[in-house]
Amino acid sequence: NKEEETKEIHRVQELLNQDKADEAMEIIQRYSDSVDNHSEIGKQWLELLIRASAATYNTQQLVVLYEYYPKAFEGQEKAALLVANAYIATGRPRDYQHLRDSWKGRETKPESWFVLDADKLLQEGKSKEAVELLKSRSFPGKSDTARLIHLALLSVMENPQESWEYLNQAYTKDPENSEILSYRAKFLETMGKNSQALLEYLAAIHVDPKNTYLKDQLAEYYLRQKEYSNAL
C-alpha cells in the first residue's frame, strides 16, 4: 500500500545517506514496477534508483536510465558524470556533448567535466588541442590530480622528464592517491629504477589495501623481475 511504500522510500533515503547503497538497491528492486516519470511516488523511486546506481557505479544501468529519463538527471551530477564518462569510453562524442551542454554553467565538479572535455578532443584526434586545454587552467588541491595525470600520460613518450614532473605535482597535491602511486611505479620501472618502482607499487597497496587491481599489478611486476615466490 501507499503508506508502506512511503516508509520504504524514507528507509532507502536513510540507507543512501549512510553509504549503504547495496542495501538500498535491494529495496528499490522490490519496487521496480513503481519506477516511472509520471506519478510523484514513481519520480521518487526513479531519483533513488539513479542515486543508488551512481553510488554503486552501475554505469550501464545509468546510461539506460538517462536515455529514458534525461530530465531526472538534472540534479544528479555524479550520475551524469558517470554517463558522460561512458559516452566518451564507448566513442559517443555527440551524446557526450549533448549531456555536457546541459550542465554548462551549473557544474559543482568543474574539474571532472574539464578532463572529459579533453578526452573528447583526444577521441576526435585533436591531441594538441587537448594538451592546450589541459594546460589552460588548474584546480585547487586534490581536484587537480586528474588533469595532471592526463598531462603526464600525454607527454610520457615525447618528454619523460615533463611527464614525471606532472606526476610529482599530482603526488604533492594528493599523496595518498593510489592511482598516482601506480603511475609513478610504472614510470620508474620503465626507466629501469626497479627498487624505487617496487616502493611505489607497495605504497599504492598500502593506501588502498582492498584494491585487487593494485595487487595484480604488483604480482605482474614480480613476474617481470622473475621473483616468482613473491608473485605467488
Side-chain angles (χ1 to χ4, degrees):
N1 63 43
K2 196 169 182 180
E3 189 179 334
E4 183 64 32
E5 202 167 341
T6 303
K7 279 183 184 175
E8 290 289 69
I9 284 172
H10 290 312
R11 174 75 182 131
V12 170
Q13 288 169 337
E14 284 173 16
L15 287 168
L16 288 171
N17 292 337
Q18 293 164 9
D19 294 325
K20 295 178 180 177
D22 290 326
E23 288 179 51
M25 188 63 87
E26 284 177 22
I27 298 172
I28 294 167
Q29 284 168 346
R30 293 205 296 269
Y31 290 87
S32 58
D33 290 343
S34 297
V35 174
D36 63 47
N37 205 22
H38 309 299
S39 67
E40 195 53 45
I41 207 157
K43 286 178 183 177
Q44 286 179 286
W45 280 120
L46 177 57
E47 182 198 342
L48 293 171
L49 176 57
I50 293 169
R51 275 185 67 190
S53 299
T56 53
Y57 293 91
N58 191 338
T59 305
Q60 194 173 3
Q61 182 159 272
L62 285 169
V63 170
V64 172
L65 288 169
Y66 177 73
E67 289 174 358
Y68 272 99
Y69 309 108
K71 287 191 175 179
F73 282 70
E74 284 181 359
Q76 303 225 39
E77 190 173 19
K78 180 180 179 180
L81 276 165
L82 287 168
V83 174
N85 201 52
Y87 282 154
I88 292 293
T90 54
R92 297 172 62 180
R94 277 189 181 181
D95 292 321
Y96 166 75
Q97 195 59 54
H98 186 266
L99 173 55
R100 175 72 182 101
D101 290 342
S102 72
W103 279 89
K104 276 189 177 162
R106 59 191 191 94
E107 309 95 327
T108 64
K109 296 177 183 279
E111 69 281 0
S112 299
W113 293 107
F114 183 75
V115 168
L116 284 171
D117 288 341
D119 282 338
K120 178 175 176 279
L121 289 170
L122 288 170
Q123 200 170 73
E124 293 168 341
K126 301 173 182 175
S127 55
K128 188 180 175 187
E129 290 92 332
V131 171
E132 285 172 1
L133 176 66
L134 289 165
K135 288 181 175 180
S136 69
R137 65 177 294 190
S138 61
F139 298 91
K142 294 179 182 181
S143 59
D144 204 31
T145 53
R147 180 188 74 89
L148 290 166
I149 288 172
H150 268 59
L151 282 169
L153 295 176
L154 288 169
S155 59
V156 70
M157 299 302 290
E158 291 181 8
N159 193 334
Q161 184 56 43
E162 184 179 53
S163 177
W164 180 246
E165 284 168 12
Y166 283 130
L167 286 176
N168 272 341
Q169 286 177 45
Y171 176 75
T172 301
K173 292 194 170 195
D174 192 3
E176 298 213 339
N177 184 316
S178 61
E179 187 180 16
I180 297 167
L181 291 164
S182 175
Y183 281 125
R184 278 162 57 102
K186 289 174 193 167
F187 183 96
L188 288 164
E189 187 182 351
T190 305
M191 294 294 115
K193 298 178 179 180
N194 292 337
S195 59
Q196 290 170 261
L198 175 58
L199 291 175
E200 298 289 325
Y201 282 122
L202 291 167
I205 290 171
H206 178 73
V207 299
D208 194 0
K210 292 181 181 177
N211 190 325
T212 52
Y213 172 71
L214 296 174
K215 292 177 182 177
D216 187 53
Q217 278 195 330
L218 178 60
E220 293 284 354
Y221 166 81
Y222 280 133
L223 286 173
R224 289 191 292 274
Q225 303 306 312
K226 296 183 171 55
E227 295 183 30
Y228 301 118
S229 59
N230 282 333
L232 281 169

